[in-house]
Every structure is written in C-alpha cells, then in structure tokens.
Amino acid sequence: MVTLVGVLALACLLFYQDEGPVLKASKVERMGIRPLPIILRQSRLWVACGAAVIGYALMSFIMTATPVHMHHIEHHSLEDTKWVIQSHVIAMYLPSLISGYLIARLGHTRIMLAGLALYCLTLALALAGRDLLNYWSALVMLGVGWNFLFVAGTSLLPGCYRPEERFTVQSFNDSLVFGSQALASLGAGWVIYQLGWQLLLVICIPAIATQLILIAWWKLSKSKALQITEP
C-alpha cells in the first residue's frame, strides 16, 4: 500500500507545474532576501513553527509510548493495541477533508486553540484511567488535535516570508519539526520505562503552555501594531 501511494504521488508530480516566480541566482536578485535572524523576529512565524513543532513532537511522543504501555506494561492484547493505533492514524488524516475549510472559515488562531484543547483532552482521558476506552479516546483526540495544529501551522507559515525566502524559512521549519519529532519518538521509550505513563503525560503540559504563550505574544504584537498605525 505504501508503494502504491508513492507511485500515485509520482504520477501526480509528473504533471505539476510551478506557476510561482522564477528564482534567479544572481547577486542582484538575491539582495531582496533578508537574513534569517531578521525573518525570525516575527511573532507570527514562531506561532506557525510552534504549532507544527509542538503538535508533531507531542503526537509522536504519546503515540510511540502508547503501544508500549498498553501491551508490555498494562498487558492489553495486541488486537486492542493495534485497534487504538489504527484509529489514531485515521483520526490524524481524515480531518484533512475539512480542516482547510475550517481554517478559512474560523482562522488559524481558533483552529490552533482547538488543537491545543484536544491535546489537553487527550491528557485528561489518558490520565483518567487505563482501560481500553481511555487509550482509544485519548489517541483519537490526539490525532485530530495533531491535524488541526499541523495544518494550521504549515498554512500560516507562507505568510511570514517573501517568495524568494521560502527555501530558507521552509528548511528552517522542517528541520525543527522533524528534528523534534525524531527526538520525541526516540525518547518516548526511555521516558515510559524510567518515569512512567503519568509523568510522560504531565511532561507534555509545558509544551502546550508554550504554544499558548506564542499565540498570546502574536496577538499582543498585532494589537500594538494596530495602535501605532491608528491616527
């Protein structure tokens, strides 16, 4: 199935044509590209990166630890464990059918806040008990929350840079996203065995709070900018 998806993606990309501006490598053309430290001064950019980074890292952190805790520690069956992870994967991608519409309708901020609320609900459900229903409902909420955060963050990011800066900013964002995701996935096993399931979940709270702070910073910056421009 993975091979089939790859072949279908290749077929689609063969017919893709980039209608955006053509980048030139001359020094004159590159004078419009701002240094990365200047670009990173935008609060909106950190909100966009934070949504993708925190959303992906926490999702990988909890998802990787769940089957280990379910099957090896709580001794749920492999069938139940598989069902939980399958449901989680469906919950990650099925909302993509409407998440773009919801962002256009409600805005990036509200969808990010909804994603963070779902992450809080994930932690509450997982901490409330260790029955199959607790794992299943928590992982479904985790999947939908990841979708809202990741789609909102990655769709907000292009508004933070000029067309000629897109390679610099996108590579910076992707390095953060997939670097943090790899660390979270690799560290989940160690944390679950050394600190336990409950502490693993509690560790996620500061990350959620960090994204809330970034959103508040962005909104405050926008408010101050409006006050300066008003007559």
Side-chain angles (χ1 to χ4, degrees):
M1 290 298 295
V2 172
T3 303
L4 178 60
V5 170
V7 171
L8 290 174
L10 175 62
C12 293
L13 289 171
L14 286 174
F15 297 96
Y16 173 73
Q17 292 183 346
D18 188 1
E19 298 179 356
V22 179
L23 299 182
K24 297 181 180 180
S26 67
K27 293 182 179 179
V28 176
E29 291 293 333
R30 291 184 60 84
M31 286 178 64
I33 301 179
R34 297 170 293 174
L36 184 59
I38 300 297
I39 301 173
L40 295 179
R41 292 178 183 176
Q42 303 172 79
S43 56
R44 179 172 62 174
L45 185 143
W46 286 108
V47 170
C49 291
V53 170
I54 292 171
Y56 225 126
L58 291 189
M59 184 277 296
S60 297
F61 192 54
I62 298 173
M63 181 193 70
T64 304
T66 297
V68 176
H69 190 258
M70 277 190 71
H71 183 62
H72 293 284
I73 298 176
E74 291 297 318
H75 305 295
H76 287 274
S77 69
L78 280 175
E79 284 296 319
D80 288 344
T81 305
K82 179 181 71 173
W83 181 55
V84 167
I85 298 302
Q86 287 174 332
S87 300
H88 166 72
V89 173
I90 293 172
M92 285 176 62
Y93 296 106
L94 189 60
S96 297
L97 297 173
I98 62 169
S99 54
Y101 168 79
L102 291 176
I103 291 171
R105 181 94 176 176
L106 302 175
H108 291 89
T109 302
R110 290 180 179 176
I111 298 303
M112 286 182 192
L113 291 175
L116 292 173
L118 289 170
Y119 270 30
C120 291
L121 183 57
T122 296
L123 300 182
L125 290 168
L127 288 168
R130 301 183 180 183
D131 294 330
L132 174 60
L133 185 58
N134 290 95
Y135 290 108
W136 182 85
S137 56
L139 267 289
V140 168
M141 294 300 102
L142 181 68
V144 179
W146 171 83
N147 186 279
F148 284 1
L149 282 170
F150 188 72
V151 174
T154 52
S155 62
L156 178 64
L157 188 64
C160 304
Y161 55 81
R162 300 168 184 169
E164 61 269 21
E165 298 167 345
R166 64 184 186 269
F167 298 124
T168 301
V169 179
Q170 289 286 355
S171 60
F172 172 80
N173 178 71
D174 288 354
S175 297
L176 288 180
V177 170
F178 297 109
S180 61
Q181 183 264 340
L183 290 174
S185 181
L186 291 171
W190 183 89
V191 172
I192 196 69
Y193 279 110
Q194 297 296 323
L195 303 179
W197 176 245
Q198 290 188 326
L199 275 179
L200 179 141
L201 296 171
V202 171
I203 288 172
C204 299
I205 296 176
I208 296 173
T210 299
Q211 183 62 17
L212 287 172
I213 292 171
L214 289 174
I215 293 173
W217 174 38
W218 178 34
K219 292 302 178 183
L220 184 61
S221 300
K222 288 174 66 176
S223 177
K224 287 182 177 180
L226 286 174
Q227 291 175 5
I228 293 173
T229 56
E230 284 179 355

